[in-house]
């Protein structure tokens, strides 16, 4: 979490840093700050405060346009509450730095280096600055190398030294940093989203190397001071995607982009009617040889895995476990070399997912990562990668990344089914046709978004809701419930509807709206009976229903009909409807849809 930016060059640093921080606010938004270096006097000016980047702008009207070198930070608090003092950058002696990550041994270091009396904040980051100042003797790389030997934990540290004009230094362990040339200088950031409008290529900074940004050069050294090659990769994201356009919120824009982003993910992987993953470099052997799948992810990405599990087991008849990454390594997982690990992550930086991937690889398990951000840590760590082509996703609540993940998983499952002879040639054709229809099914839901907006109004006063369904409907409701919770703050529980009567039905009253999903042929009558059970207890039921299923609409407080597809493919129109529902509830409540309280989009702390 936390967004970091650094710039040195001939252009105005403050405006570039502030604009870039705004693009990175999804990494954390409880406080913001920047430090600018005066290249003539060498003086470093600090401005920081609790609040958003927008608030920081008000502190920067001191002629900041004359400064050409600086670093900035937008924070998601871990150590030390949200306050002006705890905002970054931190200055200690000759060191000014910003930090993303957690220094686990910060209290030990505080005592070992006798820093207590000089600290102004409660953060672990300021202690890292104190240790670096202790080692600094006009040799920045040596001070950095000495300091990181003492640090335990994850960090990306971006540093300026008081007596060195125009040069920015950085070092990282786990937490990411990327660097690039711009028209008028060089810059770095926590992720590529901030670089897109300034650069065509970027370098993911390797772990435990020291980066130097000069006005006209990017240099990389190992910890012993040996120069290292800088390897750049192309930025092929449409960077206009990182702006809101005419939409009031990124979340709405990203929901509306889905026909296009799903099509982009699919199109390049279907050739002459067949699923073809050769451009991704995924060999058929890895798909053919596994006996089981272990999927690992967090949050929305985990829901993509849970959804895929149903389809994998029914179509491929192989066992698939879905593991929440933060629990995985502590659960003594049972793995062998016939297990295929699939890790799913939008950012490719979620630390729990990365740690789990490193663990499975250490056990000799082969891995495929389904990732949105090119060159991200998880993508680089995995044996194989399928990139989703969703483009930059800015809203904290993930939408288009999820549907792109499902589309990528469908392609993977389809190809696996072909190589394992679980799909005959004729069946592959109809599988591919179903995949190709997904964008138009999303469009069919988006075109009727006003109806969903009307439904959303029924939820504005709700304190709690339940979302009920079975099978794939239940998996997709887990994602729908997460969306509604995170953006509207309504407590929402997705529940397997057959399980309600074992306790939870005690909570159903007429004040609690129940949202039901019915799309799966083999479950229709069971799901409808479960809905009757809650209606009998007074619940008002809002029903999302596949359009060709017959019900008496008068029995429901609202019904939304989803375009019909074969069962496995209903998940995409279904989730689109639930995304819109969450979005409208949040925006109608006047909430900050894109930046829900307490959250960050990229979770780089355990
Ligand atoms: C955070 C985000 C979620 C996301 C999860 C996993 O909690 O707010 O939207 O699903 O992290 O992130 P990843 O980047 O690994 O998909």
């Amino acid at each position: 979490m936390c967004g970091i930016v650094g710039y040195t060059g001939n252009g105005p640093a403050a405006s570039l840093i502030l604009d870039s921080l705004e693009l990175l606010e999804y990494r954390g938004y409880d406080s913001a700050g920047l430090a600018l270096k005066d290249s003539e006097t060498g003086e470093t000016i600090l401005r920081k405060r609790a609040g958003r980047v927008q608030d920081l702008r008000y502190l920067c009207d001191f002629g900041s346009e004359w400064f050409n070198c600086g670093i900035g930070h937008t924070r998601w608090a871990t150590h030390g509450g949200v306050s002006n003092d705890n905002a970054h950058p931190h200055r200690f002696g000759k060191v000014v730095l910003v930090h993303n990550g957690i220094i686990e041994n910060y209290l030990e270091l505080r005592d070992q280096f006798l820093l207590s009396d000089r600290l102004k904040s409660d953060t672990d980051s300021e202690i890292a600055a104190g240790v670096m100042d202790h080692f600094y003797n006009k040799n920045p790389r040596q001070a950095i190398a000495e300091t990181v030997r003492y640090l335990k934990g994850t960090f990306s540290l971006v540093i300026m030294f008081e007596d060195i004009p125009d040069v920015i230094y950085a070092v990282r362990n786990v937490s990411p940093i990327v660097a690039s040339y711009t028209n008028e200088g060089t810059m770095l950031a926590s992720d590529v989203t901030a670089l897109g409008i300034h650069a065509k290529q970027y370098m993911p900074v390797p772990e435990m190397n020291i980066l130097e940004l000069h006005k006209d050069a990017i240099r990389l050294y190992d910890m012993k001071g040996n120069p290292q090659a800088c390897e750049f990769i192309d930025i092929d994201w449409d960077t206009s995607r990182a702006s809101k356009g005419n939409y009031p919120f990124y979340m709405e824009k990203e929901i509306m982009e889905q026909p296009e982003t799903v099509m982009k993910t699919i199109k390049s992987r279907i050739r002459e009617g067949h699923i073809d993953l050769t451009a991704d470099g995924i060999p058929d052997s890895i798909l053919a040889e596994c006996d089981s799948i272990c999927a690992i992810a967090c949050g929305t990405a985990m829901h993509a895995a849970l959804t895929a599990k149903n389809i994998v087991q029914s179509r491929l008849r192989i066992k698939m476990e879905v593991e929440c990454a933060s629990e995985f390594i502590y659960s003594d997982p049972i793995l062998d070399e016939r297990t295929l690990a699939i890790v799913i992550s939008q950012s490719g930086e979620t630390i729990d997912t990365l740690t789990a991937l490193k663990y499975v690889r250490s056990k000799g398990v082969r891995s495929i990562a389904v990732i949105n951000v090119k060159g991200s840590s998880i993508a680089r760590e995995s044996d194989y990668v399928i990139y989703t082509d969703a483009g930059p996703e800015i809203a904290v609540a993930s939408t288009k990344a999820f549907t792109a993940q499902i589309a990528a998983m469908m392609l993977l499952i389809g190809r696996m089914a072909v190589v394992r002879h679980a799909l005959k040639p004729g069946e592959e054709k109809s599988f591919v046709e179903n995949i190709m229809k997904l964008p138009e099914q999303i469009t069919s839901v988006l075109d009727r978004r006003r109806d969903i907006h009307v439904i959303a109004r029924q939820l504005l006063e709700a304190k709690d809701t339940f979302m009920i369904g079975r099978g794939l409907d239940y998996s997709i409701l887990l994602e729908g419930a997460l969306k509604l919770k995170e953006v509207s703050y309504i407590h929402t529980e997705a529940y397997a509807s057959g399980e309600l009567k074992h306790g939870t039905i005690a909570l159903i009253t007429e004040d609690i709206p129940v949202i039901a999903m019915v799309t799966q042929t083999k479950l229709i009558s069971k799901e409808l009976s479960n809905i009757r059970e809650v209606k009998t207890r007074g619940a008002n039921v809002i029903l999302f229903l596949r359009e060709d299923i017959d019900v008496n609409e008068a029995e429901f407080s609202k019904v939304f009909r989803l375009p019909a597809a074969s069962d496995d493919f209903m998940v995409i129109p279904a989730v689109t409807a639930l995304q819109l529902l969450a979005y409208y509830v949040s925006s109608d409540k006047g909430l900050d849809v894109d930046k829900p309280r307490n959250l960050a989009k990229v979770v780089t702390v355990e």
Side-chain angles (χ1 to χ4, degrees):
M1 356 265 279
C2 300
I4 289 178
V5 179
Y7 171 80
T8 181
N10 298 318
S15 56
L16 183 144
I17 290 170
L18 289 164
D19 293 348
S20 305
L21 285 179
E22 243 157 29
L23 287 175
L24 291 180
E25 262 191 323
Y26 60 75
R27 301 181 68 94
Y29 34 84
D30 55 44
S31 47
L34 53 65
L36 297 168
K37 197 164 250 306
D38 186 326
S39 55
E40 277 166 26
T41 62
E43 192 195 352
T44 310
I45 294 181
L46 240 69
R47 292 288 185 273
K48 57 182 189 169
R49 59 176 293 177
R52 299 276 168 97
V53 176
Q54 188 53 39
D55 305 315
L56 176 64
R57 284 185 187 275
Y58 299 118
L59 300 182
C60 293
D61 57 354
F62 55 88
S64 61
E65 62 276 18
W66 298 108
F67 295 79
N68 301 127
C69 176
I71 58 179
H73 189 266
T74 174
R75 179 169 188 245
W76 189 85
T78 57
H79 290 52
V82 178
S83 70
N84 293 345
D85 286 339
N86 289 339
H88 298 218
H90 294 285
R91 189 201 306 256
F92 199 109
K94 289 209 169 333
V95 172
V96 175
L97 63 69
V98 293
H99 168 222
N100 171 26
I102 291 182
I103 311 291
E104 288 162 10
N105 57 337
Y106 73 112
L107 293 175
E108 257 166 79
L109 294 173
R110 181 194 63 189
D111 298 342
Q112 184 177 352
F113 289 89
L114 306 173
L115 302 173
S116 291
D117 293 345
R118 296 174 63 196
L119 295 173
K120 296 185 208 81
S121 77
D122 309 316
T123 64
D124 50 343
S125 316
E126 191 186 12
I127 289 169
V131 176
M132 201 167 296
D133 183 59
H134 170 90
F135 286 115
Y136 183 61
N137 187 13
K138 297 203 178 293
N139 184 339
R141 292 206 302 271
Q142 194 182 2
I144 293 170
E146 287 288 343
T147 303
V148 299
R149 283 181 40 223
Y150 284 85
L151 303 183
K152 290 198 185 120
T154 59
F155 49 83
S156 49
L157 294 169
V158 174
I159 313 125
M160 297 196 300
F161 294 90
E162 287 284 0
D163 51 351
I164 301 183
D166 303 337
V167 187
I168 295 171
Y169 297 82
V171 66
R172 62 173 283 250
N173 177 39
V174 184
S175 309
I177 301 180
V178 293
S180 67
Y181 287 95
T182 70
N183 280 343
E184 292 188 291
T186 60
M187 73 181 285
L188 60 75
S190 313
D191 72 54
V192 64
T193 310
L195 304 183
I197 45 173
H198 304 284
K200 301 233 168 326
Q201 289 197 315
Y202 71 104
M203 170 177 70
V205 176
E207 281 177 325
M208 290 309 205
N209 278 240
I210 296 172
L211 176 81
E212 276 186 15
L213 281 191
H214 297 258
K215 274 169 181 275
D216 54 0
I218 294 177
R219 296 189 190 130
L220 193 64
Y221 299 88
D222 69 13
M223 287 295 164
K224 293 188 183 128
N226 303 310
Q228 302 294 301
C230 295
E231 289 174 17
F232 288 86
I233 48 183
D234 290 341
I235 300 178
D236 59 1
W237 286 22
D238 175 359
T239 47
S240 65
R241 296 249 178 259
S243 83
K244 264 192 292 206
N246 293 327
Y247 290 95
F249 293 102
Y250 282 106
M251 185 178 177
E252 184 180 1
K253 175 173 181 260
E254 289 163 1
I255 292 172
M256 296 303 287
E257 279 170 10
Q258 293 180 106
E260 213 185 305
T261 48
V262 166
M263 182 51 97
K264 214 169 163 211
T265 300
I266 297 166
K267 215 170 148 192
S268 58
R269 292 164 173 123
I270 308 257
R271 293 222 174 79
E272 293 165 13
H274 300 285
I275 300 169
D276 183 347
L277 303 177
T278 46
D280 299 285
I282 296 184
D284 283 345
S285 56
I286 195 178
L287 306 178
E289 283 161 12
C290 64
D291 291 341
S292 65
I293 295 175
C294 171
I296 309 163
C298 294
T300 288
M302 187 178 71
H303 294 151
L306 280 168
T307 306
K309 173 182 171 167
N310 277 271
I311 307 171
V312 164
Q313 297 204 158
S314 67
R315 295 222 177 221
L316 302 175
R317 304 300 303 140
I318 57 175
K319 198 167 158 208
M320 175 163 170
E321 303 284 354
V322 176
E323 306 281 352
C324 146
S326 56
E327 292 292 318
F328 179 68
I329 60 170
Y330 307 104
S331 66
D332 292 328
I334 298 166
L335 303 158
D336 61 41
E337 64 281 359
R338 302 280 303 176
T339 308
L340 170 64
I342 299 183
V343 288
I344 307 179
S345 172
Q346 187 285 126
S347 62
E349 298 295 348
T350 304
I351 191 156
D352 288 322
T353 310
L354 179 60
T355 309
L357 173 60
K358 287 181 176 166
Y359 178 87
V360 297
R361 293 200 69 212
S362 74
K363 302 288 173 202
V365 170
R366 290 188 293 172
S367 57
I368 298 178
V370 177
I371 303 290
N372 198 36
V373 178
K374 268 201 173 166
S376 52
S377 304
I378 297 175
R380 280 180 289 125
E381 182 69 30
S382 179
D383 294 312
Y384 303 100
V385 187
I386 298 189
Y387 284 111
T388 49
D389 294 308
E393 191 181 63
I394 309 290
V396 166
S398 182
T399 53
K400 65 174 179 172
F402 179 76
T403 45
Q405 285 159 354
I406 299 277
M409 287 304 293
M410 292 286 194
L411 293 163
L412 201 55
I413 293 167
R415 186 65 203 159
M416 265 182 124
V418 171
V419 302
R420 300 171 77 97
H421 310 293
L423 272 185
K424 305 198 179 66
E427 291 167 341
E428 186 192 5
K429 184 166 176 271
S430 107
F431 192 87
V432 167
E433 280 166 5
N434 277 310
I435 293 183
M436 291 300 287
K437 272 192 220 140
L438 292 173
E440 81 188 49
Q441 281 169 323
I442 300 173
T443 305
S444 152
V445 174
L446 297 179
D447 286 349
R448 288 177 292 131
R449 60 190 178 282
R450 287 218 173 84
D451 298 343
I452 297 178
H453 198 164
V454 172
I455 296 175
R457 294 199 183 116
Q458 294 199 351
L459 299 177
L460 296 182
E461 303 303 323
K463 297 242 170 336
D464 306 276
T465 65
F466 280 92
M467 292 194 174
I468 63 169
R470 301 174 79 141
L472 270 175
D473 288 334
Y474 172 52
S475 313
I476 222 64
L477 288 169
L478 287 168
E479 174 56 12
L482 178 63
K483 287 292 88 85
L484 190 59
K485 269 185 269 205
E486 66 183 328
V487 299
S488 76
Y489 312 144
I490 297 173
H491 166 237
T492 308
E493 254 187 83
Y495 224 81
S497 54
E499 191 63 17
L500 274 172
K501 54 177 112 32
H502 299 292
T504 307
I505 204 163
L507 297 175
I508 300 289
T509 65
E510 60 229 20
D511 303 327
I512 298 189
V514 172
I515 294 156
M517 179 72 69
V518 180
T519 71
Q520 300 293 300
T521 311
K522 65 179 178 211
L523 291 167
I524 298 171
S525 62
K526 299 254 183 302
E527 290 185 311
L528 291 174
S529 321
N530 296 145
I531 292 170
R532 260 174 228 119
E533 289 159 12
V534 293
K535 280 177 57 56
T536 313
R537 271 89 193 161
N540 284 313
V541 177
I542 295 166
L543 179 63
F544 288 87
L545 177 78
R546 201 179 69 203
E547 64 187 350
D548 56 358
I549 300 172
D550 242 3
V551 291
N552 175 6
E553 292 202 8
E555 287 182 30
F556 300 92
S557 62
K558 283 280 176 213
V559 176
F560 184 86
R561 291 186 173 269
L562 296 161
S566 90
D567 285 10
D568 290 348
F569 298 88
M570 284 305 300
V571 293
I572 293 265
V575 80
T576 307
L578 297 174
Q579 293 166 345
L580 284 166
L581 184 71
Y583 170 74
Y584 285 124
V585 174
S586 177
S587 60
D588 281 11
K589 284 175 105 174
L591 299 172
D592 188 348
V593 179
D594 289 335
K595 297 190 185 95
R597 70 181 173 223
N598 303 339
L599 295 180
K601 187 164 186 67
V602 186
V603 179
T604 52
V605 293
E606 285 176 335

